[in-house]
Amino acid sequence: QVQLVESGGGLVQAGGSMGLSCAASGSNSRFNAMAWHRQAPGKQRELVASITSTDTTNYAESVKGRFTISGNNAKNTVYLQMNSLKPEDTAVYYCNAVMVVVNDDGTLRVHDYWGQGTQVTVSS
């Protein structure tokens, strides 16, 4: 049973910084990609940043230049460093991990795992 456990989060003033960590357990295989998503009250969950097993990163336009995602493939962990935080960054942040498995018949099965979420609140 794969579990993702997030740490970090809390309350920070606008302009401040905060780091989030996510550690996966229960898997002997490396994930193909890990990511952070967030969901603000009354809004849909959105992708914040992602990183693949080859360290290719992708960011939402709203966080480019402010957030940095990094990962440790060997430990199946992912981090999100958030700088210059804004009140609109307030949301529950979720860790996500994706593993693609090749079945015996050659078809692919995608396993999608989620953490429980951690609250990030940015005060103005």
Side-chain angles (χ1 to χ4, degrees):
Q1 181 87 12
V2 174
Q3 286 190 321
L4 303 180
V5 179
E6 299 119 334
S7 60
L11 176 65
V12 65
Q13 287 190 330
S17 298
M18 180 180 289
L20 302 179
S21 299
C22 174
S25 62
S27 173
N28 293 322
S29 300
R30 296 181 182 179
F31 296 110
N32 296 88
M34 298 187 77
W36 288 95
H37 299 249
R38 68 186 180 187
Q39 187 167 18
K43 295 188 177 181
Q44 289 189 330
R45 190 174 296 189
E46 63 174 353
L47 174 68
V48 176
S50 64
I51 185 168
T52 70
S53 58
T54 56
D55 290 333
T56 298
T57 58
N58 181 53
Y59 296 91
E61 284 296 326
S62 59
V63 306
K64 279 184 179 178
R66 301 189 297 122
F67 290 12
T68 302
I69 190 169
S70 59
N72 185 321
N73 287 333
K75 296 182 179 180
N76 274 344
T77 56
V78 65
Y79 312 95
L80 185 68
Q81 178 63 39
M82 304 181 290
N83 298 327
S84 302
L85 283 161
K86 304 175 181 179
E88 50 263 44
D89 294 318
T90 295
V92 177
Y93 284 70
Y94 296 91
C95 178
N96 169 234
V98 176
M99 185 180 298
V100 180
V101 177
V102 181
N103 297 320
D104 291 339
D105 61 2
T107 59
L108 301 179
R109 174 175 294 182
V110 178
H111 296 269
D112 202 14
Y113 304 101
W114 292 87
Q116 300 247 352
T118 184
Q119 177 71 45
V120 172
T121 302
V122 184
S123 63
S124 57

